[in-house]
Amino acid sequence: MQLVRALEALPRQIESVLAQNEQIKRIALKYAQAENFFFIGRQHNFPVALEGALKLKEISYIHAAGYPAGEMKHGPIALIDEKTPSVVVIPSDALYEKVVSNLQEIKARNGPLIALATEGNERLASQVDEIIYLPATLEQVFPLLAVVPLQLLAYHIAVARGCDIDKPRNLAKSVTVE
């Protein structure tokens, strides 16, 4: 029953995310010239990280990789520097403290941090460079909300770079409109 109520609230919650479009655009303009991005998340949010990286690659032609947050220390962390933004999907859930630990590893290497966090998490704002708040919801529903700002971020970065977002290059004809 709790899941049903959370899903019924989803359209209103998506509207509140869309209302942050100008803030997301500002963040996109700040990082539009980056040549590499990392996207990280744990559990339900790992596929969100993969989707965020995919959208950014597809329409902006920036190298982007999605990783499980707990795996960053097994290689990818060596690539973090002040020119490589990381987008961290970090809801206030059971794995929050573990993701904060991963976030701190990136921060220690001077990597710019963009967080997608649960509304009301003011503590996190002081630990990241940018924060996009999403409405509180069930852990299983948070990924549905998180995909929206990631798509907007990719869109605004692509536009800022002068990319033709309606006709991304090199995508198979089966996924593009002729």
Side-chain angles (χ1 to χ4, degrees):
M1 196 62 170
Q2 192 179 15
L3 180 59
V4 170
R5 282 194 297 274
L7 291 172
E8 287 171 347
L10 197 55
R12 288 187 310 279
Q13 292 174 324
I14 289 173
E15 289 296 324
S16 72
V17 173
L18 291 173
Q20 297 180 71
N21 185 51
E22 285 305 311
Q23 176 199 2
I24 295 167
K25 182 177 180 180
R26 180 188 56 74
I27 294 167
L29 292 174
K30 182 175 178 180
Y31 297 104
Q33 298 312 310
E35 292 303 320
N36 298 290
F37 266 80
F38 283 112
F39 290 76
I40 65 170
R42 279 186 178 251
Q43 201 172 22
H44 304 300
N45 295 301
F46 169 52
V48 175
L50 293 173
E51 176 67 12
L54 176 65
K55 288 301 168 217
L56 189 63
K57 280 186 273 201
E58 283 180 339
I59 64 172
S60 72
Y61 319 124
I62 294 173
H63 175 264
Y67 285 96
E71 299 299 318
M72 284 296 290
K73 63 183 172 268
H74 299 293
I77 199 78
L79 301 174
I80 297 293
D81 62 21
E82 65 280 348
K83 296 177 188 171
T84 306
S86 293
V87 179
V88 182
V89 184
I90 182 169
S92 298
D93 62 13
L95 295 172
Y96 176 79
E97 291 301 328
K98 288 182 182 256
V99 181
V100 167
S101 174
N102 303 133
L103 183 146
Q104 289 168 342
E105 290 176 11
I106 295 167
K107 187 174 182 149
R109 289 155 180 84
N110 298 317
L113 286 161
I114 303 164
L116 272 66
T118 306
E119 225 167 31
N121 184 344
E122 301 301 323
R123 179 183 131 206
L124 189 62
S126 65
Q127 298 178 51
V128 298
D129 299 287
E130 304 290 343
I131 192 162
I132 300 166
Y133 287 111
L134 303 176
T137 188
L138 295 178
E139 286 183 29
Q140 306 92 311
V141 177
F142 192 88
L144 299 174
L145 288 175
V147 167
V148 177
L150 293 181
Q151 290 178 345
L152 287 171
L153 183 67
Y155 167 81
H156 288 301
I157 288 174
V159 169
R161 291 172 68 99
C163 301
D164 184 350
I165 56 153
D166 292 322
K167 293 184 181 173
R169 68 181 186 215
N170 299 328
L171 285 186
K173 291 200 182 282
S174 63
V175 296
T176 58
V177 178
E178 292 187 21

